[in-house]
Amino acid sequence: MALDLFVIFNNYFHDMATGVLVGSTALMYALAKQARQDPDRLAALVSLYPVVTKVAKIALAWIIIGGIPRVIFFTRYEWDPATVKGIVPALGIKHVLLFSAVGAGLVLWRRAKSALGLAGKSQKIA
C-alpha cells in the first residue's frame, strides 16, 4: 500500500515537473523575445532570469530523479493497467509528448538565454 502511494505520487509529481519546466521555458522564451524591443523590459527580465532558471532546474532535477522509480515500476503501474484498459497507444503518445516537451523546453531555454544576451555568460543562482 505504501509503495503504491509512493509510485502514484511520484508519477503525478513527475508529470507536473514536466509541465512546470515546459511552462516556465515557454514563458521565458516569449518574454525574452518581446523584451529585446524595450531596454527597460530587457533589464527587468534579465534580473528575473536567475530565479526562473532555478525553478526550471529544480523541475528538471525532479524529472530526472523522479524518472528513476518511474522506470523501475513502469510495467506494474503504467504498462499493465494500460494493457488491461487497451490504452497502450495512448500511453506511448503521452510519453513521446512528454519527452518532446522536455527537449523543446531545453531548446527554448537556450534561445531565451541567447535572446536576453546571456549566452556564454555564467549565471550564479542563489
Side-chain angles (χ1 to χ4, degrees):
M1 177 75 165
L3 178 63
D4 294 340
L5 288 174
F6 168 76
V7 173
I8 290 167
F9 281 124
N10 176 72
N11 289 356
Y12 175 76
F13 288 121
H14 185 260
D15 289 348
M16 190 185 320
T18 302
V20 168
L21 177 65
V22 172
S24 62
T25 56
L27 180 63
M28 180 57 74
Y29 176 73
L31 292 174
K33 200 169 177 182
Q34 287 186 347
R36 293 180 72 184
Q37 319 305 325
D38 183 353
D40 292 332
R41 282 185 182 176
L42 185 61
L45 191 56
V46 167
S47 70
L48 292 174
Y49 182 84
V51 175
V52 181
T53 298
K54 187 173 185 177
V55 170
K57 284 183 176 182
I58 290 169
L60 183 59
W62 183 256
I63 291 167
I64 294 167
I65 294 165
I68 295 168
R70 191 162 198 170
V71 168
I72 292 169
F73 296 106
F74 179 79
T75 304
R76 179 175 171 188
Y77 289 93
E78 294 189 62
W79 182 261
D80 291 347
T83 302
V84 170
K85 294 178 183 176
I87 57 170
V88 171
L91 181 64
I93 291 169
K94 171 190 166 186
H95 283 89
V96 167
L97 290 174
L98 291 176
F99 274 102
S100 299
V102 170
L106 296 174
V107 169
L108 285 177
W109 203 264
R110 286 181 169 255
R111 288 183 181 173
K113 186 175 183 178
S114 178
L116 292 173
L118 299 173
K121 296 181 183 175
S122 177
Q123 291 291 316
K124 183 170 181 158
I125 299 172

